[in-house]
């Protein structure tokens, strides 16, 4: 593994490519599993397929791990008495900080938010009349703290029978990616959710999972391939471009992860190749390894730092050693679920400890997701992307897929 200083000096300009607007998929195909699938194998060979062929292309005995997060209607639009439109984009819960508790809140809760047109909201509360499950309520928003990176906004309402989850489900919009350059449409309500989404919290979809259908999942099951779930709530930072010249100057965003003890145990004991569905699952699985290394040193498991995987004091345990340390940590505290957050950046030079393959989409130029793909393919990303461009593949969230082995 390269030491962190070598990775920090990587220039983001090396990960640029020309992406014509016409190649950005604005909508998914009518049949999700009929999109194209580019397969790159360990020896560098590439073949073209359709996504519904995936079950036949996965290694025998593989373990498929996917992100079960569900995208919330995070965008709320309030209108002032003056007519000014104020957009509040919910990023992550502040009080209570636990996602499930925040969504179950009645009467009030607060979130870290982006505020659009914030100059028109200098003081006072915003109000929105709503009807939620037959209850007529007034939703109020009060900005408690202003900051460049986000504001703390308190939401309150006058009906204890209504939860915050129901409020945003009724009043909010699905926040589709900005690069789609269009407004949210009614079809996005279902198009921008995976078929296995169930844990509310993301403000962006784990888009590699959008290609899966019940039929594909049934075929995977019929081949004896295990399917495991993890949770990583995708933050708006996933769309944040790398604005610095080198990777070392780019601050990675923090994302919430939750993994059941049984999943960690099965990964610890398994000799099967672990195939991650999407970069969010990759980040979760690799973060589990580093959390285990932290546990072995008696560290608190609150967050995996951006540069921890590359630090000189990292213990470099085996996968099994790290997972067993993680299990010991949970057992000592009587916990069934590991809850933490991660800021790791996976860039060329990173040594993968858990993931042996991934399903992913085609990512934006000069993005941290493209860095991750480059790290996994030993820098072969440009050849793959050139092939995809020449072969008519569709790019980004609603585009086509890759299977990297």
């Amino acid at each position: 593994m390269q030491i962190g200083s070598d990775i920090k000096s990587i220039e983001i300009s090396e990960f640029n490519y020309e992406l014509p607007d016409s190649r950005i998929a604005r909508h998914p195909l009518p049949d999700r599993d009929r999109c194209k699938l580019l397969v790159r194998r360990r020896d560098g060979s590439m073949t073209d397929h359709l996504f519904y062929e995936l079950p036949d292309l996965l290694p025998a005995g593989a373990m498929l791990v996917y992100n079960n997060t569900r995208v919330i209607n995070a965008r709320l639009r309030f209108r002032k008495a003056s007519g000014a439109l104020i957009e509040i984009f919910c990023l992550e819960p502040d009080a209570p900080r636990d996602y499930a508790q925040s969504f179950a809140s009645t009467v009030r809760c607060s979130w870290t938010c982006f505020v659009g047109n914030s100059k028109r909201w200098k003081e006072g509360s915003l109000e929105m009349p709503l009807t939620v499950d037959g209850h007529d309520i007034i939703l109020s928003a009060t900005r408690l703290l202003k900051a460049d990176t986000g504001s703390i906004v308190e939401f309150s309402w006058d009906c204890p029978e209504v939860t915050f989850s129901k409020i945003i489900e009724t009043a909010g919009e699905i926040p589709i990616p900005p690069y789609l350059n269009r407004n949210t449409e009614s079809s996005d309500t279902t198009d921008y959710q995976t078929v296995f989404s169930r844990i509310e919290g993301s403000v962006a979809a784990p888009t590699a999972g959008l290609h899966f259908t019940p039929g594909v999942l049934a075929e995977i099951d019929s081949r004896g391939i295990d399917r495991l779930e993890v949770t990583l709530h995708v933050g708006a930072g996933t769309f944040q471009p790398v604005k610095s010249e080198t990777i070392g100057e780019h601050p990675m965003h923090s994302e919430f992860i939750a993994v059941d003890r049984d999943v960690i145990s099965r990964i610890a004991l398994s000799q099967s190749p672990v195939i991650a569905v999407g970069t969010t699952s990759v980040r979760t699985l690799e973060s589990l390894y580093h959390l285990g290394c932290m546990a072995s040193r008696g560290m608190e498991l609150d967050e995996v730092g951006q540069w921890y995987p590359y630090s000189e004091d990292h213990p470099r345990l085996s996968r099994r050693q790290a997972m067993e340390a993680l299990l010991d940590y949970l057992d000592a505290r009587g916990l069934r679920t590991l809850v933490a957050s991660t800021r790791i950046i996976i860039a060329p030079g990173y040594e993968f400890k858990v993931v042996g393959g991934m399903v992913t989409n085609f990512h934006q130029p000069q993005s941290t997701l493209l860095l991750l793909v480059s790290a996994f393919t030993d820098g072969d990303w440009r050849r793959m992307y050139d092939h995809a461009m020449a072969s008519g593949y569709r790019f980004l969230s609603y585009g086509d897929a890759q299977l990297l082995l």
Side-chain angles (χ1 to χ4, degrees), residues 152-163:
I152 303 299
V153 176
E154 181 183 75
F155 299 100
S156 60
W157 55 101
D158 51 0
C159 182
E161 287 79 24
V162 173
T163 64

Side-chain angles (χ1 to χ4, degrees), residues 155-190:
F155 299 100
S156 60
W157 55 101
D158 51 0
C159 182
E161 287 79 24
V162 173
T163 64
F164 187 63
S165 176
K166 284 292 185 180
I167 285 174
I168 60 172
E169 179 184 329
T170 301
E173 294 180 7
I174 285 280
I176 61 173
Y179 49 65
L180 293 184
N181 196 27
R182 64 170 175 82
N183 293 326
T184 300
E185 300 172 6
S186 59
S187 59
D188 293 311
T189 302
T190 53

Side-chain angles (χ1 to χ4, degrees), residues 110-149:
S110 61
W111 280 63
T112 300
C113 304
F114 285 148
V115 178
N117 201 17
S118 61
K119 292 181 179 179
R120 303 295 297 273
W121 185 23
K122 295 181 179 179
E123 59 184 16
S125 297
L126 305 175
E127 292 189 344
M128 180 192 304
L130 294 172
T131 301
V132 183
D133 286 347
H135 299 282
D136 293 327
I137 69 170
I138 300 294
L139 175 65
S140 296
T142 304
R143 185 149 52 167
L144 304 180
L145 179 66
K146 302 177 184 179
D148 293 337
T149 56

Side-chain angles (χ1 to χ4, degrees), residues 70-72 74 89-92 175 192 201-205 233-236 239:
R70 185 169 182 81
V71 184
I72 62 173
F89 192 134
C90 298
L91 298 177
E92 61 182 15
Y192 203 55
S202 279
V203 300
H233 289 324
V234 189
F239 302 125

Side-chain angles (χ1 to χ4, degrees), residues 19-149:
L19 177 57
D21 185 71
S22 61
R23 302 303 290 275
I24 299 174
R26 295 295 192 275
H27 297 88
L29 296 179
D31 296 317
R32 295 186 182 205
D33 59 6
R34 291 311 193 258
C35 72
K36 291 185 177 183
L37 176 67
L38 174 61
V39 178
R40 182 196 180 274
R41 295 170 180 81
R42 187 178 180 87
D43 62 4
S45 62
M46 294 187 294
T47 51
D48 298 309
H49 301 267
L50 296 178
F51 194 84
Y52 68 82
E53 301 174 65
L54 178 70
D56 290 327
L57 298 167
L58 293 172
M63 180 180 290
L64 192 73
V65 181
Y66 55 86
N67 187 358
N68 62 14
T69 189
R70 185 169 182 81
V71 184
I72 62 173
N73 290 3
R75 181 176 284 120
L76 296 164
R77 301 179 191 271
F78 288 79
R79 192 168 294 279
K80 296 184 66 178
S82 65
L85 183 66
I86 308 296
E87 180 178 290
I88 299 178
F89 192 134
C90 298
L91 298 177
E92 61 182 15
D94 173 70
R97 293 192 65 84
D98 180 83
Y99 278 84
Q101 290 178 17
S102 184
F103 289 126
S105 294
T106 58
V107 182
R108 74 181 66 250
C109 62
S110 61
W111 280 63
T112 300
C113 304
F114 285 148
V115 178
N117 201 17
S118 61
K119 292 181 179 179
R120 303 295 297 273
W121 185 23
K122 295 181 179 179
E123 59 184 16
S125 297
L126 305 175
E127 292 189 344
M128 180 192 304
L130 294 172
T131 301
V132 183
D133 286 347
H135 299 282
D136 293 327
I137 69 170
I138 300 294
L139 175 65
S140 296
T142 304
R143 185 149 52 167
L144 304 180
L145 179 66
K146 302 177 184 179
D148 293 337
T149 56

Side-chain angles (χ1 to χ4, degrees), residues 273-290:
V274 176
I275 310 298
V277 177
T279 56
T280 63
S281 297
V282 173
R283 280 169 57 80
T284 304
L285 291 167
E286 292 298 314
S287 293
L288 287 180
Y289 167 78
H290 297 295

Side-chain angles (χ1 to χ4, degrees), residues 8-9 45 49 88 94 104 169 208 224 246 248 250 278 296 333 335 348 389 394:
K8 290 179 181 180
S9 65
S45 62
H49 301 267
I88 299 178
D94 173 70
E169 179 184 329
T246 61
H250 176 72
S296 75
R333 290 158 178 79
L335 299 174
M389 196 65 71
R394 302 158 75 242

